[in-house]
Amino acid sequence: MFHQLVSHNDDIRRLVEKGYAIAFDSNYLVIRDIPYLDSERKLQIGAIVAKLEFIDQNRVTQTDHQICFAGSVPHGQDGTPIPNLGGGPTQLALSEASKDVVVQRSFSNKPIATGKFQDFFEKIESYVGIISGPAMALHGASPYTFRAVKEVVSDSVFEFHDTLTSRAEITDLSERFKDDVIAVIGLGGTGAYVLDFMIKTPVQEIRAFDLDPFHVHNAFRSPGRVEASELGKTKAEVYLSRYSNFRKGLSVYPKFIDASCSDDLNGVTFAFVCVDKGSSRAEIFDLLISKGIAFIDVGMGLNRKKGPLNGMLRMTYYSAEQGQKVRDMGLAEIVDRPQDMYRANIQISELNALNACLAVIKFKQLRGFYSEELPNYNLLFEVGDLKIAGASKFDED
């Protein structure tokens, strides 16, 4: 990535040619060997960290006029803190390769004339002049060390740089998904949205399964753009084509999961079950429980008795330890009812998306990405009153 960015960004190239110790890490520009004075006017060495906003795969720009700094408060030659740096104490998670760069504060200093830096070269030169100027004058120190810093090799699963995570400064939280292998079983209305959300989550691998064809009605309850050429193909073909350019580690199989599919789930760490047939759900449940795989099952029941639609959405979590116990509660339909062939099976895209949201949020709570006040294993959302009821405690045996 180093040579790629330097060759396509003139401002980065100028920083390298001037002698800055440049590196890239977690979508940040890292500049080490920045001299400054502490409160006793002793020479210290810090580092500047600035966010990168990727325009495309090769070109970057600034997100704002601020920087982060790894070091204590810089002081002037008179031993007082350098004024007009703004900002304050902050923390920023970088990768293990940059463990020597411990961000402690942010600085905010806009150019007086324009209020905005033209590019990274102007931005870094300005901040280095302010931070390092006193150390350069008093100790003859220089930030231009021409030091070659070992490049941080990105092992991102995404084909595009995940600047959403770095902009929000939640890189450390996103790291919690890196070892997950996810199965999405069923790519109907809700399953399609679960897949879409997981595609954008930095899990190691995603395996999705559905044998059904993609028809017009599916287009009305699936995320993203629809092409006429997709109609009639398997859902597996359609979704693999849509997402294969977004991330690595994606496999979509044109098959149903049943009791004979144990090998397909080897190595899976978590599963989402998004099927609407009771007998299929029962076989999938038993297979996942027997393999000790935690999973979430979703369901939707909408009806129109008089006037507007009403109904419920359900999200049920089956942990590896309590999966059988939750299954025995009968929270999800696991048989095919005789009247099901006459059922309208109403599904609406926004409710499919909401059902998927409940499932994915719960999964991310389990991984510590979101906070969780109550460990609910079952959630029911009623459309009519927009209320959610949750169950978090098991009845005593």
Side-chain angles (χ1 to χ4, degrees):
M1 185 172 73
F2 181 91
H3 297 291
Q4 183 178 342
L5 292 181
V6 171
S7 63
H8 287 87
N9 296 273
D10 185 64
D11 52 346
I12 304 293
R13 177 187 58 78
R14 292 171 66 196
L15 288 170
V16 173
E17 290 178 348
K18 188 153 186 179
Y20 286 108
I22 299 289
F24 302 98
D25 189 332
S26 306
N27 296 315
Y28 294 99
L29 171 66
V30 180
I31 306 178
R32 293 172 170 84
D33 301 345
I34 302 299
Y36 68 99
L37 298 180
D38 62 18
S39 59
E40 297 179 355
R41 302 197 306 165
K42 293 181 179 179
L43 179 64
Q44 303 293 338
I45 302 296
I48 289 174
V49 179
K51 294 180 185 178
L52 295 173
E53 174 74 18
F54 277 82
I55 300 170
D56 54 31
Q57 290 291 71
N58 300 312
R59 295 178 299 153
V60 296
T61 187
Q62 309 167 74
T63 58
D64 52 40
H65 63 277
Q66 301 178 56
I67 64 165
C68 291
F69 187 65
S72 57
V73 175
H75 287 68
Q77 293 189 64
D78 60 357
T80 62
I82 295 175
N84 303 321
L85 277 176
T90 192
Q91 294 180 332
L92 191 64
L94 298 174
S95 77
E96 180 67 17
S98 296
K99 61 184 179 181
D100 60 309
V101 179
V102 181
V103 170
Q104 295 172 266
R105 62 199 75 255
S106 64
F107 293 142
S108 177
N109 184 278
K110 291 183 180 180
I112 297 176
T114 62
K116 182 180 179 180
F117 293 111
Q118 180 179 342
D119 55 26
F120 275 114
F121 185 82
E122 181 182 10
K123 179 176 182 174
I124 299 305
E125 283 278 274
S126 176
Y127 275 107
V128 168
I130 297 171
I131 296 170
S132 299
M136 296 169 74
L138 188 61
H139 295 284
S142 173
Y144 314 118
T145 62
F146 290 91
R147 183 161 72 98
V149 179
K150 182 180 179 181
E151 181 180 355
V152 177
V153 179
S154 173
D155 59 354
S156 174
V157 296
F158 299 115
E159 299 290 354
F160 299 90
H161 297 283
D162 181 16
T163 52
L164 173 67
T165 295
S166 56
R167 281 169 65 93
E169 299 181 7
I170 55 173
T171 302
D172 57 325
L173 295 179
S174 292
E175 283 281 306
R176 301 182 182 192
F177 306 118
K178 65 183 177 66
D179 296 324
D180 268 303
V181 176
I182 303 297
V184 182
I185 304 173
L187 296 174
T190 302
Y193 280 100
V194 169
L195 178 63
D196 187 75
F197 298 147
M198 295 311 299
I199 288 290
K200 296 152 189 172
T201 303
V203 296
Q204 179 187 131
E205 182 186 348
I206 301 171
R207 303 177 200 170
F209 304 88
D210 201 310
L211 183 60
D212 285 339
F214 187 85
H215 288 162
V216 174
H217 71 278
N218 300 115
F220 280 88
R221 61 181 201 230
S222 69
R225 179 177 175 177
V226 177
E227 299 284 354
S229 60
E230 295 175 333
L231 301 176
K233 294 181 178 179
T234 65
K235 292 176 183 176
E237 291 178 273
V238 170
Y239 291 119
L240 182 61
S241 176
R242 286 190 190 181
Y243 294 117
S244 59
N245 72 330
F246 195 93
R247 59 131 59 227
K248 306 163 191 170
L250 171 65
S251 302
V252 190
Y253 300 97
K255 69 181 302 181
F256 292 133
I257 294 296
D258 57 25
S260 68
C261 298
S262 180
D263 289 348
D264 292 289
L265 301 180
N266 286 342
V268 168
T269 60
F270 199 90
F272 293 91
V273 180
C274 311
V275 300
D276 58 8
K277 189 176 180 182
S279 58
S280 297
R281 185 182 278 120
E283 286 196 54
I284 295 167
F285 282 11
D286 290 340
L287 177 58
L288 292 169
I289 290 171
S290 70
K291 293 180 72 70
I293 299 172
F295 63 96
I296 287 174
D297 176 64
V298 292
M300 179 187 305
L302 300 178
N303 60 75
R304 184 182 182 185
K305 294 180 179 178
K306 291 182 180 180
L309 293 173
N310 198 6
M312 305 280 287
L313 308 182
R314 176 186 54 79
M315 185 288 303
T316 309
Y317 167 54
Y318 299 74
S319 69
E321 299 77 22
Q322 301 284 355
Q324 186 62 50
K325 188 170 187 176
V326 177
R327 186 197 191 288
D328 293 342
M329 293 179 182
L331 299 171
E333 290 186 359
I334 54 175
V335 296
D336 299 330
R337 300 181 185 278
Q339 66 269 29
D340 278 359
M341 62 182 296
Y342 303 107
R343 188 177 63 177
N345 192 26
I346 301 170
Q347 295 194 35
I348 308 295
S349 61
E350 60 267 24
L351 295 181
N352 285 131
L354 179 55
N355 209 358
C357 285
L358 294 175
V360 172
I361 289 171
K362 174 62 181 179
F363 164 70
K364 292 188 174 183
Q365 285 181 325
L366 293 169
R367 294 297 183 263
F369 184 86
Y370 291 125
S371 65
E372 182 180 44
E373 292 185 7
L374 288 174
N376 290 304
Y377 62 87
N378 194 59
L379 291 178
L380 294 175
F381 172 85
E382 185 173 359
V383 175
D385 60 11
L386 299 180
K387 290 183 179 179
I388 295 180
S392 59
K393 295 181 179 181
F394 294 104
D395 292 333
E396 296 295 331
D397 294 331

